[in-house]
Amino acid sequence: MKLYEYEGMELFRRYGIPVPGFEVASSPEEAAEAAGRLGGRVVVKAQVLVGGRGKAGGVKIADSPEEAGEHARRILGMSIRGERVERLVVAEAVDIARELYLGIILDRSIGAPLILASPEGGVDIEELARTKPERILKTPVEPFLGLKPYHIRRVARFLELPPDAQKQVGQILSGLYRLFIENDCELAEINPLVVKKDGGLLAIDSKIIVDDNSLYRHPELQERAGREMNKYEAEARRLGFSYVELDGNIGVICNGAGLTMATMDTVLVLGGRPANFLDIGGGARADRVEGAVSLLLSHPKAKILFINILGGITRCDEVARGIVNALGKAEAKKGMVVRLKGTNEEEGRRILEENGIHVVDEMDEAARKAVELAREV
Ligand code: GDP
Ligand code: MN
């Protein structure tokens, strides 16, 4: 889960990382008032979860509260890469001498946090990694030992900072590392970390991603995740299904994570694009299957349904009854491809065929059919 910049800045502050004074505003009036309190010269910044905000015109410097209000009016009306701006950060403007990059990511290939640092901050780090990889320092942290003084010395030297800045780098890196660990982060990034004209360091932008699997340990974030779910995600969660929204037009229902992944791969290889996938899990009875099928039948992006079930503890006759019941109650008809194999397969097939639903034997053939149908809609 991505945090907003202001949420990250609040965390920075809590972990002793210096940030400029800032306030959150959601109207031009609030922004102007905040600018007044912050001394007049401020930066007005769109709060969105997508990147490239500055380039899109979502970060503007103002010299007075009136100008902050004008910027706020313009930025609040914007949509940045499809995301509407509903909130702003108004922050004290900083006189910047240099922009640096400092981040920690969870590097799954080494199973440890990896510190990234670059003297060329402010720019897109992925871009820098492509064009000037030698300008990025990567130094791993052994998780059982934690951050050590040599990490700090190495980072300070690579950032081309004078020796008297080491203490501050130490404070910032230690804070960022603690923040990263204690908040179960996948990424905690300061870009840019700026050197002010008077020499001090300041974090002026935050990017933080928290591991979704850890949200149960962070009730405030879990509550926000709940608020941001769309109604299909919320309903799937309520019914206890694993469910993921995607961009295509084929609704996919399977049982078990392995078969679900294999089905997704097959659909993609054949040129189809799933609208979502829903895993009914093991041993689902007719009522649960009915819930799953009804949910995807009501989903506007799922133009056709592909149901791929391998019965083990899941009984095919129960699945079939669930499908038939859902279809009986559905408002709109949709193309549907069903592949059903395993426990009580004959009974399941009989129930479906009695209701005019043809069952396909092989997964590849079924996937091909689904992709073809999806092309026609
Ligand atoms: P991003 O585009 O979403 O990464 O937004 P940032 O907050 O990182 O701002 C983008 C750029 O705007 C920074 O790299 C700076 O060059 C500039 N900027 C942001 N805040 C200030 C500020 O207080 N003073 C000055 N001079 N420039 C700023
Ligand atoms: Mn930035």
Short mmCIF file of all heavy atoms in Angstrom, two decimals, residues 23-58:
data_model
loop_
_atom_site.label_atom_id
_atom_site.label_comp_id
_atom_site.label_asym_id
_atom_site.label_seq_id
_atom_site.Cartn_x
_atom_site.Cartn_y
_atom_site.Cartn_z
N GLU A 23 1.55 21.83 6.10
CA GLU A 23 0.17 21.57 6.49
C GLU A 23 -0.57 20.94 5.32
O GLU A 23 -0.15 21.10 4.18
CB GLU A 23 -0.55 22.88 6.88
CG GLU A 23 -0.02 23.50 8.16
CD GLU A 23 -0.82 24.74 8.58
OE1 GLU A 23 -2.02 24.83 8.24
OE2 GLU A 23 -0.22 25.60 9.23
N VAL A 24 -1.65 20.23 5.62
CA VAL A 24 -2.48 19.64 4.56
C VAL A 24 -3.67 20.57 4.34
O VAL A 24 -4.23 21.09 5.29
CB VAL A 24 -2.95 18.23 4.96
CG1 VAL A 24 -3.84 17.62 3.88
CG2 VAL A 24 -1.75 17.33 5.24
N ALA A 25 -4.01 20.80 3.06
CA ALA A 25 -5.14 21.68 2.75
C ALA A 25 -6.00 21.04 1.67
O ALA A 25 -5.49 20.32 0.82
CB ALA A 25 -4.63 23.03 2.26
N SER A 26 -7.33 21.31 1.73
CA SER A 26 -8.16 20.75 0.66
C SER A 26 -9.01 21.81 -0.02
O SER A 26 -9.96 21.50 -0.73
CB SER A 26 -9.01 19.60 1.20
OG SER A 26 -9.58 19.95 2.42
N SER A 27 -8.67 23.08 0.20
CA SER A 27 -9.33 24.16 -0.57
C SER A 27 -8.32 25.29 -0.74
O SER A 27 -7.35 25.38 0.02
CB SER A 27 -10.56 24.67 0.19
OG SER A 27 -10.15 25.40 1.33
N PRO A 28 -8.53 26.16 -1.74
CA PRO A 28 -7.62 27.29 -1.95
C PRO A 28 -7.52 28.17 -0.71
O PRO A 28 -6.44 28.64 -0.36
CB PRO A 28 -8.25 28.05 -3.12
CG PRO A 28 -9.08 27.03 -3.84
CD PRO A 28 -9.56 26.09 -2.80
N GLU A 29 -8.66 28.36 -0.01
CA GLU A 29 -8.66 29.21 1.19
C GLU A 29 -7.76 28.59 2.26
O GLU A 29 -6.94 29.27 2.86
CB GLU A 29 -10.08 29.37 1.75
CG GLU A 29 -11.05 30.12 0.82
CD GLU A 29 -11.48 29.32 -0.42
OE1 GLU A 29 -11.57 28.07 -0.31
OE2 GLU A 29 -11.68 29.92 -1.50
N GLU A 30 -7.94 27.29 2.48
CA GLU A 30 -7.11 26.60 3.48
C GLU A 30 -5.63 26.71 3.10
O GLU A 30 -4.78 26.89 3.97
CB GLU A 30 -7.48 25.12 3.56
CG GLU A 30 -8.69 24.84 4.44
CD GLU A 30 -9.05 23.35 4.42
OE1 GLU A 30 -8.15 22.50 4.19
OE2 GLU A 30 -10.24 23.05 4.61
N ALA A 31 -5.34 26.58 1.80
CA ALA A 31 -3.95 26.63 1.35
C ALA A 31 -3.37 28.01 1.61
O ALA A 31 -2.23 28.14 2.09
CB ALA A 31 -3.86 26.28 -0.13
N ALA A 32 -4.13 29.05 1.33
CA ALA A 32 -3.65 30.42 1.54
C ALA A 32 -3.41 30.67 3.02
O ALA A 32 -2.40 31.27 3.42
CB ALA A 32 -4.66 31.42 0.97
N GLU A 33 -4.35 30.21 3.86
CA GLU A 33 -4.18 30.40 5.31
C GLU A 33 -2.94 29.66 5.81
O GLU A 33 -2.17 30.20 6.61
CB GLU A 33 -5.42 29.89 6.06
CG GLU A 33 -6.58 30.86 6.00
CD GLU A 33 -7.88 30.21 6.45
OE1 GLU A 33 -7.82 29.19 7.20
OE2 GLU A 33 -8.95 30.70 6.03
N ALA A 34 -2.77 28.42 5.33
CA ALA A 34 -1.60 27.64 5.74
C ALA A 34 -0.33 28.37 5.32
O ALA A 34 0.62 28.48 6.10
CB ALA A 34 -1.65 26.25 5.11
N ALA A 35 -0.33 28.91 4.11
CA ALA A 35 0.85 29.62 3.62
C ALA A 35 1.16 30.81 4.52
O ALA A 35 2.33 31.09 4.83
CB ALA A 35 0.63 30.08 2.18
N GLY A 36 0.12 31.50 4.97
CA GLY A 36 0.30 32.63 5.88
C GLY A 36 1.00 32.17 7.16
O GLY A 36 1.96 32.80 7.62
N ARG A 37 0.52 31.05 7.71
CA ARG A 37 1.12 30.55 8.96
C ARG A 37 2.56 30.08 8.74
O ARG A 37 3.37 30.11 9.64
CB ARG A 37 0.28 29.39 9.51
CG ARG A 37 -1.00 29.83 10.20
CD ARG A 37 -1.65 28.66 10.91
NE ARG A 37 -2.20 27.68 9.96
CZ ARG A 37 -3.43 27.72 9.46
NH1 ARG A 37 -4.26 28.66 9.84
NH2 ARG A 37 -3.84 26.80 8.60
N LEU A 38 2.85 29.61 7.51
CA LEU A 38 4.18 29.04 7.24
C LEU A 38 5.19 30.09 6.77
O LEU A 38 6.31 29.77 6.41
CB LEU A 38 4.08 27.91 6.21
CG LEU A 38 3.34 26.65 6.70
CD1 LEU A 38 2.92 25.77 5.54
CD2 LEU A 38 4.22 25.86 7.67
N GLY A 39 4.78 31.35 6.74
CA GLY A 39 5.74 32.41 6.43
C GLY A 39 5.65 32.97 5.02
O GLY A 39 6.47 33.78 4.62
N GLY A 40 4.63 32.53 4.24
CA GLY A 40 4.39 33.17 2.94
C GLY A 40 5.01 32.46 1.76
O GLY A 40 4.33 32.16 0.78
N ARG A 41 6.32 32.18 1.81
CA ARG A 41 6.96 31.51 0.68
C ARG A 41 6.84 30.00 0.86
O ARG A 41 7.46 29.44 1.77
CB ARG A 41 8.43 31.92 0.59
CG ARG A 41 8.87 32.21 -0.83
CD ARG A 41 10.31 32.69 -0.86
NE ARG A 41 11.25 31.60 -1.14
CZ ARG A 41 11.39 31.03 -2.34
NH1 ARG A 41 10.66 31.42 -3.36
NH2 ARG A 41 12.26 30.06 -2.52
N VAL A 42 6.02 29.39 0.02
CA VAL A 42 5.71 27.97 0.22
C VAL A 42 5.71 27.20 -1.10
O VAL A 42 5.72 27.80 -2.17
CB VAL A 42 4.30 27.79 0.87
CG1 VAL A 42 4.25 28.34 2.28
CG2 VAL A 42 3.23 28.41 -0.01
N VAL A 43 5.69 25.88 -0.97
CA VAL A 43 5.49 25.01 -2.13
C VAL A 43 4.10 24.39 -1.97
O VAL A 43 3.75 23.93 -0.89
CB VAL A 43 6.52 23.87 -2.19
CG1 VAL A 43 6.52 23.22 -3.56
CG2 VAL A 43 7.90 24.39 -1.86
N VAL A 44 3.31 24.42 -3.05
CA VAL A 44 1.99 23.81 -3.04
C VAL A 44 2.08 22.51 -3.83
O VAL A 44 2.52 22.51 -4.99
CB VAL A 44 0.94 24.76 -3.68
CG1 VAL A 44 -0.45 24.13 -3.65
CG2 VAL A 44 0.94 26.10 -2.96
N LYS A 45 1.74 21.39 -3.19
CA LYS A 45 2.00 20.08 -3.80
C LYS A 45 0.76 19.18 -3.81
O LYS A 45 0.14 18.95 -2.76
CB LYS A 45 3.11 19.38 -3.02
CG LYS A 45 4.36 20.23 -2.86
CD LYS A 45 5.34 19.62 -1.88
CE LYS A 45 6.35 18.80 -2.63
NZ LYS A 45 7.39 18.27 -1.70
N ALA A 46 0.43 18.69 -4.99
CA ALA A 46 -0.70 17.77 -5.13
C ALA A 46 -0.42 16.49 -4.35
O ALA A 46 0.70 15.99 -4.37
CB ALA A 46 -0.89 17.42 -6.61
N GLN A 47 -1.44 15.96 -3.67
CA GLN A 47 -1.29 14.68 -2.99
C GLN A 47 -1.96 13.59 -3.81
O GLN A 47 -3.18 13.42 -3.80
CB GLN A 47 -1.90 14.76 -1.58
CG GLN A 47 -1.18 15.76 -0.69
CD GLN A 47 0.30 15.41 -0.52
OE1 GLN A 47 0.65 14.44 0.13
NE2 GLN A 47 1.17 16.20 -1.16
N VAL A 48 -1.13 12.88 -4.57
CA VAL A 48 -1.64 11.76 -5.37
C VAL A 48 -0.71 10.58 -5.16
O VAL A 48 0.42 10.75 -4.71
CB VAL A 48 -1.70 12.11 -6.89
CG1 VAL A 48 -2.85 13.03 -7.19
CG2 VAL A 48 -0.39 12.71 -7.38
N LEU A 49 -1.18 9.40 -5.51
CA LEU A 49 -0.35 8.21 -5.28
C LEU A 49 0.46 7.83 -6.52
O LEU A 49 1.34 7.00 -6.44
CB LEU A 49 -1.23 7.03 -4.84
CG LEU A 49 -1.92 7.25 -3.48
CD1 LEU A 49 -2.89 6.12 -3.16
CD2 LEU A 49 -0.90 7.39 -2.35
N VAL A 50 0.17 8.48 -7.65
CA VAL A 50 0.96 8.18 -8.86
C VAL A 50 2.22 9.04 -8.88
O VAL A 50 2.28 10.08 -8.23
CB VAL A 50 0.15 8.43 -10.16
CG1 VAL A 50 -0.99 7.45 -10.25
CG2 VAL A 50 -0.36 9.86 -10.24
N GLY A 51 3.23 8.61 -9.64
CA GLY A 51 4.49 9.34 -9.70
C GLY A 51 4.45 10.46 -10.74
O GLY A 51 3.43 10.69 -11.39
N GLY A 52 5.57 11.17 -10.89
CA GLY A 52 5.69 12.20 -11.92
C GLY A 52 4.81 13.40 -11.68
O GLY A 52 4.41 14.11 -12.61
N ARG A 53 4.56 13.68 -10.42
CA ARG A 53 3.66 14.75 -10.05
C ARG A 53 4.22 16.12 -10.40
O ARG A 53 3.52 16.98 -10.93
CB ARG A 53 3.42 14.59 -8.55
CG ARG A 53 2.88 15.72 -7.81
CD ARG A 53 2.84 15.33 -6.38
NE ARG A 53 4.21 15.30 -5.84
CZ ARG A 53 4.51 15.51 -4.58
NH1 ARG A 53 3.56 15.71 -3.73
NH2 ARG A 53 5.77 15.48 -4.16
N GLY A 54 5.52 16.32 -10.11
CA GLY A 54 6.17 17.60 -10.40
C GLY A 54 6.08 17.94 -11.88
O GLY A 54 5.66 19.03 -12.27
N LYS A 55 6.44 16.96 -12.72
CA LYS A 55 6.44 17.17 -14.18
C LYS A 55 5.04 17.47 -14.69
O LYS A 55 4.87 18.18 -15.67
CB LYS A 55 6.98 15.92 -14.89
CG LYS A 55 8.50 15.89 -14.94
CD LYS A 55 8.99 14.72 -15.79
CE LYS A 55 10.33 14.21 -15.29
NZ LYS A 55 10.46 12.75 -15.38
N ALA A 56 4.02 16.93 -14.03
CA ALA A 56 2.65 17.14 -14.47
C ALA A 56 2.10 18.49 -14.00
O ALA A 56 0.93 18.80 -14.22
CB ALA A 56 1.76 16.00 -13.96
N GLY A 57 2.92 19.28 -13.33
CA GLY A 57 2.46 20.60 -12.88
C GLY A 57 1.82 20.57 -11.50
O GLY A 57 1.15 21.52 -11.11
N GLY A 58 2.06 19.49 -10.76
CA GLY A 58 1.44 19.35 -9.44
C GLY A 58 2.28 19.87 -8.29
O GLY A 58 1.92 19.68 -7.13
#
